[in-house]
Amino acid sequence: MDIIVLKPRASEKEKKHIIKRLESLGLEATVSKGTERTIIGVIGNTSKVNEEVENSIRAAAGVETVMRILKPYRLASREFKKTATTVKVGKQVIGGKKICVIAGPCSVENQSMMVEIAKEVKKAGASFLRGGAFKPRTSPYSFQGLGEEGLKYLALAREKSGLPIVTEIMDPRDIDVIEKYSDVIQIGARNMQNFRLLLVVGESKKPILLKRGLSATIKEWLMSAEYIMSRGNMNVILCERGIRTFETATRNTLDLSAVPVLKKLTHLPVVVDPSHGVGIMEHVSPMAKAAVAAGADGLVIEVHTHPEEALSDGEQSLRPDAFKQMMKELKPVAQAVGREI
Ligand code: PEP
Ligand code: MN
């Protein structure tokens, strides 16, 4: 028993009674209120619930059906929620008709570059500003990010451009400072299965951009989304950013088939990051167009005014003029699939 669907006219008292019953069984309830029906998601070890107990809940007042989900993820599944989830951040909606573009440098390097890039990407039509202040670098000798100082520059760039901020958290100990400055919290590919970190952001009120792990299957990725959702944070955005394959011509292999697959398996919005997906500037725009054609709800694009001087990921960062051109070329693609940008 994983999902309890209530009758359209089930009363508050009936709902509370069922939740109490679940709690007495050592389970937790997550209530999802739709326009017609309320659905109760059951969290905990539901396999321990025997058939008799399940039948008694099925017979309780206000209950329409009780279902089992065969998939290991529940709250993230389409069975749990049929309608697509939209994540609202200020005036922006991720998962709606508009394709949201999250653009900015890989790392926050200094104040003036942050403000300049923010203004450029805003002018070209981006909806969010990105930039890492805590950077997950392969080498301990590479630039590790400016920490809180970088977050302050991001906040200033938000003030100057009006764009909400997406930034990465690497350590549960940074949750307060990240929450203070960010609008959306990014979990990077390398931390997709950092379960303690997932639980911490699951307690946050901020939406989470969950990147796919370097070698994670779609199922593992959805299980990570489930970790976050199991703590009450339903605003998870999945981000395909390329996976490890035998191919070395590109930095990663951008798995665009994940987009339609995810649309079927989950109600969560899906965005694509072609910058980390291919790792080569000139291939970013074609893959961005392909991502939109495949049904992505948004894009993550690295932009830098001087990619040759960037402290990280310069080789895959678009100059503002190339970003502007890409945004222009995305318009007819978005339109062709019933979206706008
Ligand atoms: C990033 O967004 O700059 C980043 C480090 O991405 P990923 O975690 O996908 O490698
Ligand atoms: Mn990067």
Side-chain angles (χ1 to χ4, degrees):
M1 175 189 64
D2 301 303
I3 290 177
I4 300 167
V5 183
L6 299 186
K7 286 185 175 145
R9 270 181 290 280
S11 70
E12 198 58 24
K13 201 172 147 206
E14 288 165 343
K15 185 183 84 187
K16 286 211 171 106
H17 176 76
I18 294 157
I19 294 172
K20 272 225 171 83
R21 181 79 203 281
L22 292 170
E23 285 168 354
S24 74
L25 293 164
L27 301 165
E28 259 181 75
T30 312
V31 179
S32 163
K33 210 168 159 37
T35 42
E36 288 196 5
R37 273 179 174 65
T38 297
I39 293 178
I40 301 176
V42 188
I43 304 172
N45 188 357
T46 56
S47 60
K48 277 198 309 209
V49 177
N50 65 33
E51 220 176 307
E52 271 159 38
V53 174
E54 186 169 318
N55 284 339
S56 74
I57 291 177
R58 185 174 281 117
V63 172
E64 185 161 284
T65 52
V66 169
M67 297 189 299
R68 271 198 185 271
I69 297 180
L70 296 173
K71 300 205 177 68
Y73 45 89
R74 295 171 200 166
L75 304 174
S77 74
R78 271 277 178 193
E79 281 100 326
F80 178 63
K81 187 166 175 282
K82 291 237 168 348
T83 54
T85 288
T86 52
V87 175
K88 293 174 193 74
V89 186
K91 281 183 278 177
Q92 301 299 335
V93 179
I94 305 177
K97 188 168 183 200
K98 189 178 167 209
I99 311 269
C100 289
V101 178
I102 302 165
C106 179
S107 304
V108 179
E109 297 173 6
N110 58 60
Q111 181 176 309
S112 61
M113 69 84 86
M114 226 30 257
V115 172
E116 194 184 346
I117 296 173
K119 285 184 180 165
E120 289 282 4
V121 299
K122 161 82 190 205
K123 208 165 59 189
S127 325
F128 288 84
L129 178 66
R130 63 150 284 147
F134 296 93
K135 293 304 300 177
R137 304 305 301 281
T138 301
S139 164
Y141 309 118
S142 302
F143 176 61
Q144 303 286 311
L146 296 177
E148 184 168 4
E149 189 192 344
L151 295 174
K152 286 183 180 158
Y153 299 155
L154 275 171
L156 180 74
R158 168 175 55 201
E159 207 182 295
K160 301 273 183 205
S161 66
L163 293 176
I165 291 168
V166 182
T167 199
E168 178 165 353
I169 185 167
M170 293 218 306
D171 188 320
R173 289 172 292 189
D174 296 328
I175 185 69
D176 291 341
V177 74
I178 292 275
E179 275 193 320
K180 183 170 159 198
Y181 296 99
S182 66
D183 298 291
V184 174
I185 302 175
Q186 175 173 322
I187 297 282
R190 289 155 192 83
N191 274 313
M192 189 205 83
Q193 285 188 317
N194 182 338
F195 301 117
R196 296 284 289 270
L197 185 60
L198 297 178
L199 292 176
V200 166
V201 298
E203 307 261 341
S204 176
K205 298 269 179 298
K206 299 275 161 91
I208 308 302
L209 182 79
L210 178 64
K211 290 192 139 194
R212 183 179 187 174
L214 307 180
S215 298
T217 64
I218 287 175
K219 191 161 133 188
E220 287 162 343
W221 188 10
L222 288 171
M223 289 309 290
S224 291
E226 191 79 11
Y227 260 91
I228 299 169
M229 298 171 90
S230 74
R231 284 294 163 110
N233 190 347
M234 299 296 155
N235 288 320
V236 179
I237 305 143
L238 299 165
C239 177
E240 162 62 39
R241 48 76 73 205
I243 48 174
R244 275 275 159 88
T245 67
F246 52 81
E247 184 54 70
T248 54
T250 47
R251 181 177 180 182
N252 292 291
T253 297
L254 189 64
D255 179 15
L256 286 184
S257 61
V259 179
V261 169
L262 285 168
K263 288 282 164 194
K264 181 136 194 170
L265 297 176
T266 179
H267 53 86
L268 297 172
V270 181
V271 307
V272 172
D273 172 353
S275 303
H276 293 86
V278 295
I280 303 161
M281 211 188 279
E282 64 175 311
H283 302 320
V284 170
S285 175
M287 295 315 284
K289 283 179 255 180
V292 169
D297 297 303
L299 296 165
V300 175
I301 307 287
E302 285 189 338
V303 177
H304 200 291
T305 38
H306 303 283
E308 63 288 348
E309 290 165 22
L311 297 181
S312 61
D313 289 350
E315 61 286 4
Q316 66 195 33
S317 300
L318 299 185
R319 287 187 183 82
D321 56 341
F323 178 68
K324 201 166 135 200
Q325 178 65 23
M326 183 203 75
M327 291 296 281
K328 209 169 105 191
E329 290 172 18
L330 280 169
K331 276 199 169 67
V333 183
Q335 215 168 33
V337 290
R339 309 290 289 264
E340 56 192 50
I341 190 158

